[in-house]
Structures are given as C-alpha cells and as structure tokens.
Amino acid sequence: MCGIIGITGRDDAVDGIVAGLQRLEYRGYDSAGLVAAGANQLRVVKRAGKLDNLIGALKGSGLSARAGIGHTRWATHGEPNDRNSHPHTDPTGRVAVVHNGILENYQQLRRQLPDQRFASDTDTEVAAHLVARELDRMDDPDLFEAVRRVVAGLEGAYSLCFTATDEPDTIVVAKNEAPLIVAHADGVGYCASDVAALIAHTRDVAALIDGQLAKITPEGVEVTDVDGNASEPHAYTVQWDVEAAEKQGYEHFMLKEIHEQPTAVRETLRDRITDDGGQQGGGRLHLDELAIDERDLARIDKVFILACGTSLHAGMVGKLAIEHWAGIPVDVEVASEFRYRDPIVDAHTLVIAISQSGETSDTIAAASHARDQRAPVIGLCNVVGSTLAREADGVLYTHAGPEVGVAATKTFVTQIIGCLLLGLYLAQVRGRLYPSECQDILERLQQIPGAIDEILAQDGDIAELAKRYAETDYTMFIGRHAGLPIAYEGALKLKEISYLHAEAFPAGEMKHGPIALIEEGSLVVALAPEGHVFSKMVSNIQEVRARGADVIAIGSAGTTSDLKDHADHVLTLPEAPHELATPVLATIPLQLFAYHVATIRGEDVDKPRNLAKTVTVE
Ligand code: AGP
C-alpha cells in the first residue's frame, strides 16, 4: 500500500520526509518521491525502485525546505516507473499531490480538463490539475478551500495530501477509506499513512475519519468535514514501539494480513460493473486490464490454470468456477510440471497464470511456454507491473495490497475472487450468463467482507483449538468439491509455518489408502460447509471418527447442528453468498488455526525456515 508523509515547520523537512519514508518501507512499494515546498517553486524528486534510488538522486542536490510531502507508491494505475511515481503536479507546477487509494472517477474528471496534457498514466494526477484550476479561479487563493471543492467531486478510496506554491507552509489532506494520521508537536505539523512514520516525533496523533479534511501548518492542525465545518478526528496516544507500529499493533504481519482480508476482497471486487446503457437490462462485468479481445475469448475451447503453492489452490477454485459458469474444460497444473511435458496447447487454449508476486520463475516460464504455442495468457497477479503482468497478454489484478508475511493469506482470498470474476466474465463473453445474472452474483459477492469479519470474530475459539492440538504431529485435511482446494491450502498453511506434518486428500479417496493412517488420537480437519456434497462429507467424517480420529469440522450456519453429532469440534461459517464463494470463507479459520499453532510453538511465523516470499529460481 502506498505510504504518505508530510512535514511542515522544520528546517530539515526533506531529511525528515526521507526518514519517514524509510519507516513506511515495510508497507511495500515500487517507487518513491518527495516534493520540497517553496514560494517560488515546488521541487519534485522521484524515482522508480527502492528508496535508495531516491536517496541517491537527492545526494548532492542541496535540496532543503521547511515543508514538503513524500510518498512510497504501490502501483494500481500505470506502470511503476519514474513518470508514474508520486508526487504529481499540475502543468504549471503550482500544486503537488500524493495519494494512497484509487480515484474511481478519474477518467470522467480528466474529461473536464480537455485542454490539459497529463504527464502520467495515474488516477492521481488529475487531482493536482483540479486543485490548481480552483486556485486560478479564486481572487484570494486558498489551498484548503480549493482542495475542499475538488474533494467534493471525488469518488473512490483516497488519502490525499497537497502542497502549493501559494502557501508553502501549508499541507492540506483529505481522507476517505484510506488511512491518514495527523499530528502536531513542538511547532511542527505532520501527516502520515500510519504511525510508524511519526513515532520518532510524537506519540500523540489523530486518525482522520472518512470525509474529513485537515489543514496542517507549523501552528497546528485544523480538521473539518467536507462542508468545511469543524470536526473531531480520533485522537489517541500511541503505545507501540516502531516495530509494533509497522504491524499496526498486530504481533505478526501474517495476523495483520489475515485481518486485512475484508478490505482486500472489497478492493478486488470494486468497480467491476459498467453500465450497458440499458441494452441487456443491467450492467456488464468488465475486467478492463484484460485487454484480450472478447471475440478471441469466445473461441476458447480449453483452459489451463498454471500456478505454484497457494496460488495453485486458488486455481483449483478457478477450475470449478470456469467449468460451472462458462462451460469450458479446465486443467489446473503445477507450473513446474507443465513446462517439462508436451501439453496440447494452441491459439484456442486460454492460459491463466496465477502468481501474487508475478515473479515466480516456474509460473513465468510455464506461461511463456504456452505463449510460444500461440495460447493467449492472462496473468492473475497482485503486483502491478511485475514480470508476469508485463509478459501476459492481459492481466487481472487482485488489489490486496502488499503482503509481507511469507505465508500467503489475503492474496489467496483475492486470487479466489479473481478466479470467480474470470469464470463469470468468460460466461458473459460466451453468452452463458446474462449480464443481469452476472450482476446478481457479483452483488451477492459483496457480502463476503462482512462474512469474513464474522469469522475473524471467532479467533478466540480457534486459538483454544490450536492450544489443544499444537503438539499433534500429523494432521489430515479432507474435503470435496469447493472444500478440497481449502483442504490443500489448510495443510500447506499448517506445515509451512508450524513445521508439523499435514496432508490433504479428497475425502472420497480416503478409503483407497489414506484412511490406513488414521488411528486413535489422529487429527482430521474436515471441510463440510453447506453444499451439494455435504452429506458425502458427513459420511467421510463418520469413517475417520469410527477409527479413533479427533475431528474438527468446518461447517456453515445451515449444517452446524448435523455436524455436532459427528465431529469433536465444529467451526461455523456464515452463510456463503454462493457455493463457489465458500472457499473464501472456509480458508479463514484454517489460516488462524495455523497461525496460532505456530505461535504457540514459538516459530517465526512471518519468515518460516527454508522459505522465501518470492521464488525467483527454478
Ligand atoms: C504460500 O503461503 C507460499 N508462500 C507459496 O506457496 C506461494 O504461494 C508460491 O510460492 C507462489 O507464489 P506466487 O503466488 O508469488 O507465484
């Protein structure tokens, strides 16, 4: 996620901004920049890549100022390069802005300025142009008022931070659905995306509430609502040290990222429907980054989903979704296997390569192997501008934000959402679903974030179960249909962070071998949410229970009472908006279970042994 820092009232504001950006590095970024504010000029320095590139560019520049704003960018619109890095200015260099979030109506806003040239591909730049236009229109230019007028017309998620030559000591910020903290200490005003950037200066901060703006000067911070009326932010004293502040109070990044899942899902689902002009009675699902001609997609007769690890498990849900909605046969394959055999691939085969990092060499190589045989490739990635995203014919981004923990959590659930979107989209393109049907399903999917919140509230019960089973050497996960990918994922999560042996099997396969492993005290985690295979799962649970296994069943609201007679413990999921959305919900308790088992065992949850976040070697 992008990071913002603003400082006004210190002779060494530029150094302070760089130090603040270093504190924000943990959020993940692909470029960094800052603006030193002055009455005659706003001096912008920005560089793609690591912060060191920016620091190198500043070295020897003699850049200094009493105020400025800085930014680390996690690309959402436009490639991560120098040009798209923040800050952005209007064409005259009067106003500069940095932004965290997505301005959904930026294209409409750009159309309000038909004569202006834009220097970047970002959604953000238009905000600087619009504020400059407002300042031009005022007899007595006032930055705060200009920002207030512009913000009233913005749609989407944003924390925005502006400076202008008119008032170089003033920083104006606005917040909606993206975090922003303000503070004032010892004659210096501050703003930042999170307390990690400010903790070296003060622990007394205030978090802005959605719809609030603030004017920050060396004299203090004034907060208003969007109408300009005085408004109270949420003031508090930070109790954390710097390390804890980066994790926003969570003990580990993994836990923080588990809790970010409702937001991550919301972002991935955001803004996917366009108005069809009333042609077919509704909006059309659009995946605009795909950039593959719909006519080509309509001719596809086979799909390969290629991925590794957790991404492969998301792909297994993708297979169910595409076969169910679009009616195209799908093979899901480990990327490192695909490239060494002779897969039957041609121009009518669609390849979907799933990789959160977009840098996994096995997945990239498999996708290019398919492209060599003229297959169109869609990358399902989290990192904008990553190698896979660049090399694929089209890309669908999960908007989960950067993931620091090695164990994938929020990127997994958003990959599943991405797969559901692809399934619906292919169905729409091939005329298997009316736009209104797609829209209906999409609307139901909007219930997922709230349902995840309900599951997160069961953390205490899950931690108790983890305590009870933390010394269990071997855990078997079983599932069918949409539960099976989650059985695989549950086993992977447990083994990768707790180093306990865990395996997953299709529940129907148990009697063909694996059930021989079951003995008194074995632990079986059974995925048994509501759905058309529920009664089959109950039979499988009975089989392992009869042989002495302890069973933890993951059920759902409608099935809990049936499960209670057969399982030792039942964790209840809220009702899923669609059977194919159950995997998103069912994975949450298993992430928490693995997390608690690993922490009880004292393992390094965020950096498990022998593993790397991104595997760029074969
Ligand atoms: C999951 O917890 C692991 N970190 C790992 O399996 C990961 O999913 C795999 O290496 C693929 O990574 P990618 O999504 O970045 O391609």
Side-chain angles (χ1 to χ4, degrees):
M1 288 291 168
C2 301
I4 288 175
I5 168 93
I7 298 180
T8 176
R10 267 173 57 173
D11 287 338
D12 61 348
V14 171
D15 293 343
I17 290 167
V18 171
L21 293 178
Q22 283 167 327
R23 292 269 183 243
L24 294 171
E25 275 192 289
Y26 80 94
R27 294 167 68 95
Y29 66 102
D30 43 51
S31 60
L34 60 78
V35 53
N40 300 322
Q41 199 187 0
L42 300 177
R43 283 163 302 167
V44 174
V45 184
K46 51 191 191 174
R47 290 290 182 275
K50 288 289 157 201
L51 201 49
D52 281 348
N53 298 351
L54 176 69
I55 294 170
L58 289 170
K59 219 171 244 163
S61 69
L63 194 68
S64 75
R66 282 185 54 76
I69 54 183
H71 189 263
T72 49
R73 174 173 187 248
W74 167 264
T76 56
H77 287 73
E79 293 292 309
N81 54 26
D82 287 354
R83 208 164 57 82
N84 289 331
S85 309
H86 296 211
H88 294 287
T89 62
D90 70 294
T92 66
R94 184 178 186 176
V95 174
V97 64
V98 298
H99 169 213
N100 172 18
I102 297 174
L103 296 182
E104 286 171 11
N105 60 336
Y106 79 101
Q107 277 161 330
Q108 287 115 283
L109 295 171
R110 277 187 175 207
R111 285 196 285 274
Q112 292 176 17
L113 303 165
D115 301 330
Q116 297 223 357
R117 283 168 59 90
F118 286 86
S120 74
D121 308 321
T122 64
D123 52 327
T124 304
E125 187 188 341
V126 71
H129 290 231
L130 289 169
V131 170
R133 183 177 71 171
E134 288 303 325
L135 288 170
D136 284 344
R137 287 172 173 172
M138 292 174 175
D139 295 334
D140 189 9
D142 175 343
L143 179 62
F144 180 82
E145 179 56 19
V147 171
R148 196 190 67 75
R149 290 181 194 171
V150 169
V151 162
L154 300 181
E155 288 170 19
Y158 51 82
S159 53
L160 285 159
C161 180
F162 295 89
T163 184
T165 49
D166 303 76
E167 299 169 57
D169 278 350
T170 299
I171 294 170
V172 177
V173 296
K175 175 208 170 351
N176 188 48
E177 293 180 24
L180 200 63
I181 310 288
V182 293
H184 183 261
D186 305 323
V188 183
Y190 300 96
C191 64
S193 297
D194 68 54
V195 292
L198 300 186
I199 213 159
H201 310 297
T202 178
R203 286 176 179 256
D204 295 318
V205 301
L208 294 191
I209 296 162
D210 283 349
Q212 286 183 329
L213 292 93
K215 177 175 178 175
I216 304 161
T217 64
E219 285 72 50
V221 179
E222 291 165 36
V223 179
T224 76
D225 62 19
V226 78
D227 297 319
N229 303 312
S231 178
E232 280 303 311
H234 171 62
Y236 64 101
T237 302
V238 180
Q239 306 292 349
W240 310 325
D241 60 14
V242 169
E243 200 195 333
E246 289 180 351
K247 295 174 189 146
Q248 287 161 22
Y250 290 102
E251 208 178 324
H252 297 96
F253 281 110
M254 180 182 176
L255 190 59
K256 170 174 166 275
E257 286 155 6
I258 288 173
H259 282 265
E260 284 171 346
Q261 290 178 115
T263 306
V265 168
R266 231 174 254 124
E267 290 303 321
T268 303
L269 284 171
R270 188 189 279 278
D271 198 23
R272 296 294 187 188
I273 293 282
T274 46
D275 197 339
D276 73 344
Q279 284 173 30
Q280 303 203 44
R284 271 182 75 76
L285 169 61
H286 76 100
L287 305 175
D288 52 0
E289 316 98 306
L290 273 193
I292 296 181
D293 194 319
E294 291 199 354
R295 284 166 302 191
D296 292 336
L297 290 177
R299 284 193 285 270
I300 293 303
D301 58 17
K302 179 162 124 195
V303 176
F304 274 112
I305 298 181
L306 308 176
C308 304
T310 290
S311 299
L312 185 77
H313 303 150
M316 292 174 181
V317 183
K319 171 183 168 73
L320 301 178
I322 294 169
E323 289 183 345
H324 176 71
W325 282 317
I328 316 172
V330 183
D331 276 347
V332 186
E333 192 154 339
V334 174
S336 54
E337 288 297 315
F338 180 85
R339 56 191 289 205
Y340 291 117
R341 57 182 191 81
D342 304 305
I344 313 300
V345 175
D346 60 25
H348 297 293
T349 309
L350 175 66
V351 167
I352 301 173
I354 308 180
S355 171
Q356 84 80 22
S357 62
E359 302 296 348
T360 300
S361 63
D362 288 322
T363 310
I364 291 169
S368 101
H369 185 53
R371 283 196 84 204
D372 289 345
Q373 293 159 76
R374 298 188 301 127
V377 174
I378 292 175
L380 178 55
C381 301
N382 193 46
V383 179
V384 174
S386 53
T387 305
L388 179 61
R390 288 197 314 270
E391 291 183 0
D393 299 286
V395 61
L396 176 62
Y397 286 118
T398 52
H399 294 292
E403 192 172 65
V404 178
V406 165
T409 52
K410 62 177 181 170
T411 56
F412 175 59
V413 298
T414 53
Q415 284 170 345
I416 297 177
I417 298 290
C419 286
L420 300 183
L421 291 174
L422 283 169
L424 289 170
Y425 183 67
L426 290 172
Q428 180 182 274
V429 165
R430 297 163 70 84
R432 299 249 316 184
L433 282 178
Y434 288 112
S436 56
E437 290 175 287
C438 273
Q439 193 172 354
D440 176 57
I441 297 168
L442 269 176
E443 272 162 21
R444 282 191 275 140
L445 296 184
Q446 310 291 338
Q447 298 162 16
I448 291 176
I452 296 177
D453 275 328
E454 283 182 48
I455 303 165
L456 292 173
Q458 298 176 38
D459 188 35
D461 297 341
I462 298 166
E464 281 305 312
L465 277 181
K467 221 180 273 171
R468 185 166 177 156
Y469 291 107
E471 299 306 322
T472 305
D473 291 335
Y474 176 74
T475 306
M476 186 183 282
F477 291 73
I478 57 172
R480 286 170 181 262
H481 188 248
L484 182 57
I486 303 310
Y488 286 122
E489 176 61 9
L492 176 61
K493 285 285 94 86
L494 187 59
K495 70 183 123 186
E496 75 176 325
I497 58 172
S498 72
Y499 319 141
L500 290 169
H501 190 191
E503 280 182 289
F505 296 101
E509 275 291 288
M510 292 294 287
K511 55 189 169 298
H512 300 290
I515 202 163
L517 289 166
I518 301 295
E519 57 186 6
E520 201 62 42
S522 303
L523 178 61
V524 174
V525 178
L527 278 297
E530 209 162 5
H532 68 288
V533 293
F534 174 70
S535 58
K536 303 278 174 212
M537 281 305 302
V538 171
S539 307
N540 295 127
I541 290 171
Q542 287 168 328
E543 283 158 15
V544 293
R545 194 95 180 293
R547 287 159 179 84
D550 272 19
V551 176
I552 300 175
I554 312 297
S556 45
T559 64
T560 307
S561 53
D562 296 339
L563 283 172
K564 279 201 168 130
D565 294 338
H566 307 295
D568 298 273
H569 314 277
V570 181
L571 294 170
T572 306
L573 309 173
E575 194 189 335
H578 191 284
E579 191 172 348
L580 289 172
T582 347
V584 176
L585 306 186
T587 198
I588 314 289
L590 303 189
Q591 294 169 344
L592 287 168
F593 181 73
Y595 170 79
H596 288 300
V597 168
T599 50
I600 290 164
R601 296 173 64 82
E603 306 301 356
D604 186 349
V605 171
D606 285 331
K607 291 195 182 69
R609 69 184 183 203
N610 305 338
L611 295 177
K613 181 69 184 159
T614 306
V615 185
T616 53
V617 290
E618 200 180 333

